[in-house]
Amino acid sequence: MSELPLSCRLSLWVTSAYAGRLPLDRALVAAAAELDHVSGAERVQDWSALGERVVAVALPRAGATASVPRGNPELAGAAAGAGECCYSPALGVALVPTVEPFGPAGDVGWAARFTAYDCDPVPTHRLEMLSVREAERALRAEIASATEDLASLGAVWGAAARDVADEALGSQRWGLPPDLPVRAVSVITLAATVGRIADLGLEAADPSLVAGEAGRRLQALRRLQRAADEALETATNVAALAIAGYLPADRLP
């Protein structure tokens, strides 16, 4: 599987197709190259026909859904449950993916189903206010804070978690289209890397810690995870806006 959320890849590849860089059908294949079956994503063809130029993304979590388009509580809940969605800012339509395994043991594939939700349109100028520089600054500050908090606890990673992290981060399976703004790519890959590390840390408990220390570790990793998601979301949207011509690719905010 790619190290990037499916919605991020769909945002960048489809926006590239809207800008004429490649056919839309090829963009849909490239965005989900590692999946065996995808349904519902073809709706973005209708968005293009209606004049949409950019596909935006939100990476919410339970209790943190501010970036999800307003107007539909069902969308907010579904997007938080999936941890992602992509949407048409101009048309007020969002797609939430569900990625699941299918097939018998020994021959398992992966399928994604996109469910559409109506929502309020998002004015493009609100997205243009996003700053990839500020997103990187905030992420690096949280990395420093989390590193200090975790180091103060002594043992942070188990050997197994470190091995899995090394394997994941060495794969470089970002699934990005070519010719994206360099600064946005840098923040996307940094955020995806940090987010993966935080996810692995949350999956692997440290038995050497007492209850209070385990709680501090959990809080630090969750803060780091959220900061990584916010930076990835911002960098993806800024890159998409640059592709669409809303922002100068050589002078990203």
Side-chain angles (χ1 to χ4, degrees), residues 37-250:
H37 179 72
V38 178
S39 61
E42 66 277 1
R43 290 175 177 269
V44 298
Q45 296 173 331
D46 298 331
W47 298 359
S48 177
L50 293 171
E52 182 59 88
R53 294 170 54 192
V54 63
V55 176
V57 66
L59 302 177
R61 293 186 184 273
T65 60
S67 63
V68 178
R70 303 296 91 186
N72 189 335
E74 292 185 1
L75 167 61
E84 60 179 289
C85 73
C86 57
Y87 61 93
S88 164
L91 303 177
V93 184
L95 297 176
V96 178
T98 302
V99 181
E100 297 176 327
F102 71 94
D107 187 24
V108 176
W110 289 88
R113 183 183 74 258
F114 284 89
T115 302
Y117 295 85
D118 292 331
C119 57
D120 294 339
V122 177
T124 304
H125 68 81
R126 283 179 48 189
L127 296 175
E128 292 173 350
M129 294 172 61
L130 297 171
S131 169
V132 70
R133 295 176 186 272
E134 177 60 24
E136 181 178 17
R137 185 205 64 77
L139 176 57
R140 291 191 181 279
E142 189 56 55
I143 292 171
S145 175
T147 299
E148 181 178 352
D149 289 346
L150 294 172
S152 71
L153 298 174
V156 176
W157 304 104
R162 283 196 300 271
D163 290 343
V164 173
D166 289 341
E167 179 182 355
L169 302 181
S171 69
Q172 296 297 306
R173 294 177 295 180
W174 305 117
L176 295 171
D179 302 321
L180 296 180
V182 173
R183 189 174 188 89
V185 171
S186 175
V187 176
I188 286 171
T189 54
L190 172 65
T193 298
V194 172
R196 181 60 174 151
I197 290 173
D199 289 344
L200 291 169
L202 289 167
E203 292 169 6
D206 190 333
S208 69
L209 301 178
V210 299
E213 292 175 336
R216 286 175 53 202
R217 177 180 182 273
L218 183 63
Q219 291 176 358
L221 288 170
R222 283 178 174 169
R223 291 198 313 269
L224 185 61
Q225 183 187 59
R226 185 58 205 159
D229 285 348
E230 290 173 351
L232 178 57
E233 176 184 290
T234 294
T236 300
N237 284 327
V238 168
L241 290 171
I243 295 169
Y246 289 109
L247 295 172
D250 58 343

